[in-house]
Amino acid sequence: MPTSLFEPGAPDVLYIVDLSGYVFRAYHAIAPLNAPSGEPTQAVFGTVNMLERLVRQRRPAMLAVAMDSRKPTFRKEIYAEYKAHRPPPPPDLSQQMARCREIVDAFAIPVFQTDGVEADDLIAAAVAQARARHLKVVVVSADKDLMQLVGDDVLLWDTMRDKVFGPAEVLERFGVPVPQVRDWLALTGDASDNIPGVPSVGPKTAKELLVAWGDLDGIYANLERIERKALRDKLAEHQDAARLSRELVTLKADIPVTFDPAALKYGGRDVLTLRKLYQELGFAKHLAALDTLPEPVPVASGSGGEAAAPPPPKAEAMKRELVTVLTRDALESAARELSGAALLAVAAENTTDSAVRGTLVGIGLSGTPGKAYYVPVGHRYFGAPEQLDLAMVAAALEPLLSNAKLPKAAHDGKTVGVALAEAGFSFAGLAFDSLLAGYLLDPESPHELEDLAANELGVGVVAPRSLVPKAKGRQAEFDEVRVEDAANGLGARAEAVRRLADVLGPKLESEGLVPLMNDIELPLAGELAEMERAGVLVDCDVLHALGRRVEKELQTLELEAHRIAGRVFNVNSPRQLETLLFDDLRLKPIKRTKTSRSTDADTLEALAEQHALPKVILEIRQLAKLKGTYIDALPLLVNPRTGRIHTRWEQAVAATGRLSSTDPNLQNIPIRSELGREIRGAFVAPPGTALVSADYSQIELRVLAHLSKDPVLVESFQSGEDVHTRTAMEIFGVSRDAVDAEHRRRAKAVNFGIVYGQGDSGLAKSLGIPRAEAAQFIAAYFRRYEGVRRFMNEVLESTRAAGSVRTLFGRRRLVPDIRSENRARRLAAERIAMNTPIQGTAADLLKLAMLAFRRPPTPGARMVLTVHDELVFEVPLAEVDDAKTRIRKAMEGVHALSVPLVVEVGSGENWSRAH
């Protein structure tokens, strides 16, 4: 911070928060958030972030909040049109404002609020009172009107941008010093408050006038000396508006406020109340953070500085007994105790965050709530204690970890299993996974262990990687974490998992999610662990050659872009491209960001119809993205020990239940582009084997037919006809022979648009047609497929009633915005509701198909990839034909639907040839 005013804990500094302005700003600046109950929370979240940061970092000796009046203010009496253009606040903003007041009360912060007076005026009056007592003030706000108050003893702090305004910063912001800010505001006006100002007088002109004539009175006293006639006439014509505007922007520092420095002294938060509020709101990280710092007992609360009774003392977190195992006797004692556990919780951590690349550092174990063990085996730092040999640890713990009859619990059991297996342990009997439990209960709420422990248990646990020390010039690893810190980390994690099993297990049962957990997700975790360990072979020579070719193509395209533009420019610079497109070529901007005219992909696609340059830039970007994301990156991800890529399969990311992958993300390699197919060609079969690819055909449309029971759609799939051709016949009213490629393309877009809950706007964009025409296509579709319309309506009705939607196999997705008064959020929720049963059921079918191959389809075969609706196997050459038959039969028979599941199977020496 640039001034001693911001020294934490300074005894003569009062912090005043413009709460009303901050809540409004946070509401519009932060993406929509919801509490577990569905209550909107983004403005509350932003406010909590600000208050927590303020209290923890600045440790204010004195603190207050100012809030707007609930009734019309005196400015409305002066000027009836004041703020007249502002619509009434959305209901969810008013709801969040009330919540923010609860938060302020829990923080025990005095509140300034007076009927008929705005927060800005209360702040101005409080600043005047503070100055009279020789106190300093920090105004926490981004409101430019409050910059009238800035001086050597008053600063304004915009916490969202972390920018501090003193006199120098105000001069830089407006071009005039603080005493002239009021007149600058009067001249320029304010559209948001409907303050008229003087038309055509912007910031630059206002600055010039004030530099020349001092203030508004000086300007009008010298009106005839202003050389620009148009400006002179505007000022003369709108003199009354200018003087009215000055009266409206002037802060009323003389209004009466109760200002008692003793009552403004900040004593701390009511942690018990905050804990309850954070739990209700789903603020997991804030909840966990309440346990990390001691809190003084609050001594002040109320309005305007009135004293309040102190809250009860902070509740202590549950005590844990954490035992670090460093001797043979301690290890054997722990093993004996844990062998009798009803459920054994296990945590493990490697040197790196890759379970395959790293080496095991330590194991956390808990058999009963409140007690945990930490067994270190690989800490390497100066002064590290002597640790047990890994072989000795394996001899003691392997009988427990490999015993399938001893139920296990873990958070992300797949990764724990991989880490243990790579270290030589067997890991069997996974009966509970807190990551999967949290995900199944609400796939869109945070379900990392830190979040679940905070929300469900009210305790804090740390992410293991956060314990890794910073190292200059290199990436430190977990083996450099001190043993005692790792024990507190992994031991506490294992103990938290053990307790979460008792809390989340009944919730899964009450929501009917136990079969999904036990029959699909838990066994699938084991399958994915095996796939991660197996990895997939990549031919780096193919990628290097491809990279050299693409680099030449990029150079050629760059020269072409320079030729079209008529000059050399940096094709990777959005700013240079913006200037070239909109200033030099005079193309019309499509949309704007906060700071510039957009040159994103949507914009370039629209502009490509008007000029050749945007199309070339799009080609450059697409090639460069594939080159950077895959062609250049994949060789770096090859494990030097195995020569293979070991992607991480993620079960608990996509809200629909679909699997995803990271390091690398194999889901996004495009299959329809030639370069995407060539990249897939670098994924190869080892010598003596082939890759076999099995891909469900139109699985989502088949699921739609089954769920909707639409007779036309069902008959189409049962008869084996092309469903897109059938849809083209239905919505365009043409015979089968008359359906051309364009008919089918549009019908296909409509089919999949319906699956994804797409409206006429989205369909119009995807097809490049007018919105009215897209609406006609959708209407024609629903006229012919009335069963689909009925199904969609029934889904919406049931989702509105339950607040959630389910797949065929019971997977649940909460849809709190389905009843939102905000139209955009409600429509988005309706799309989710319509899509989830279809896409989620398709995801569940693919998982069931994967589980069908827990035993290899043929000897020596193994599953190595899953992407969207496709499974890829490595199969010995002699078994390929038999494997293809068995794989197709297993996948098509995984679950009986009213229409047949169809699987397309191919094979080849690489993934591209096999697909």
Side-chain angles (χ1 to χ4, degrees), residues 124-169:
V127 166
Q129 295 269 14
R131 279 174 161 154
R133 292 167 172 79
H134 306 291
L135 299 173
K136 299 168 185 175
V137 181
V138 176
V139 178
V140 182
S141 177
D143 191 340
K144 64 181 183 297
D145 293 350
L146 290 169
M147 293 183 188
Q148 299 174 62
L149 304 174
V150 167
D152 292 335
D153 54 352
V154 177
L155 298 179
L156 184 139
W157 181 23
D158 178 355
T159 56
M160 276 194 176
R161 295 188 176 90
D162 199 19
K163 182 162 179 66
V164 179
F165 289 87
E169 289 76 20

Side-chain angles (χ1 to χ4, degrees), residues 640-782:
R641 180 172 57 83
T642 66
R644 298 165 74 93
I645 281 179
H646 302 264
T647 189
R648 282 209 297 262
W649 300 106
E650 305 286 0
Q651 274 177 277
V653 173
T656 57
R658 277 197 175 275
L659 295 171
S660 59
S661 66
T662 56
D663 298 328
N665 178 0
L666 302 180
Q667 310 286 329
N668 290 342
I669 302 176
I671 185 60
R672 292 183 178 85
S673 76
E674 180 59 34
L675 183 56
R677 288 190 288 272
E678 290 185 80
I679 293 171
R680 286 181 171 224
F683 290 77
V684 298
T689 70
L691 293 185
V692 173
S693 166
D695 194 1
Y696 277 115
S697 171
Q698 300 173 337
I699 188 170
E700 290 174 346
L701 292 175
R702 293 172 189 273
V703 168
L704 174 61
H706 174 79
L707 295 176
S708 70
K709 301 179 178 60
D710 183 273
V712 178
L713 201 55
V714 168
E715 192 274 333
S716 180
F717 280 119
Q718 287 179 340
S719 65
E721 73 175 332
D722 180 80
V723 70
H724 302 314
T725 298
R726 178 62 176 267
T727 298
M729 293 165 57
E730 298 292 348
I731 66 175
F732 295 115
V734 296
S735 67
R736 186 183 308 278
D737 294 340
V739 174
D740 59 23
E742 181 61 17
H743 282 137
R744 189 180 183 279
R745 183 182 76 88
R746 293 189 173 195
K748 183 176 181 180
V750 174
N751 275 331
F752 285 107
I754 296 299
V755 167
Y756 288 98
Q758 192 177 59
D760 51 17
S761 178
L763 182 61
K765 184 177 178 181
S766 67
L767 288 176
I769 61 175
R771 186 169 175 176
E773 188 176 357
Q776 291 174 359
F777 288 168
I778 293 174
Y781 179 96
F782 281 126

Side-chain angles (χ1 to χ4, degrees), residues 355-427:
V356 176
R357 281 179 178 257
T359 57
L360 188 67
V361 177
I363 304 171
L365 300 159
S366 178
T368 55
K371 186 173 184 180
Y373 293 92
Y374 178 62
V375 186
V377 295
H379 289 267
R380 309 279 185 268
Y381 59 86
F382 182 75
E386 186 175 352
Q387 297 151 69
L388 293 172
D389 179 72
L390 182 59
M392 183 186 298
V393 172
L397 297 184
E398 175 71 10
L400 305 181
L401 296 175
S402 63
N403 183 3
K405 294 181 179 180
L406 175 58
K408 312 297 189 310
H411 186 83
D412 189 3
K414 170 184 66 67
T415 299
V416 171
V418 172
L420 291 173
E422 290 293 309
F425 293 86
S426 299
F427 184 59

Side-chain angles (χ1 to χ4, degrees), residues 202-213:
K204 182 179 178 182
T205 303
K207 169 192 167 183
E208 292 171 351
L209 289 169
L210 292 169
V211 168
W213 311 112

Side-chain angles (χ1 to χ4, degrees), residues 789-810:
R789 177 194 288 278
R790 184 171 56 253
F791 166 70
M792 294 295 187
N793 288 338
E794 289 171 354
V795 167
L796 289 176
E797 288 176 14
S798 64
T799 305
R800 291 187 189 104
S804 62
V805 63
R806 294 197 182 239
T807 71
L808 180 64
F809 298 95

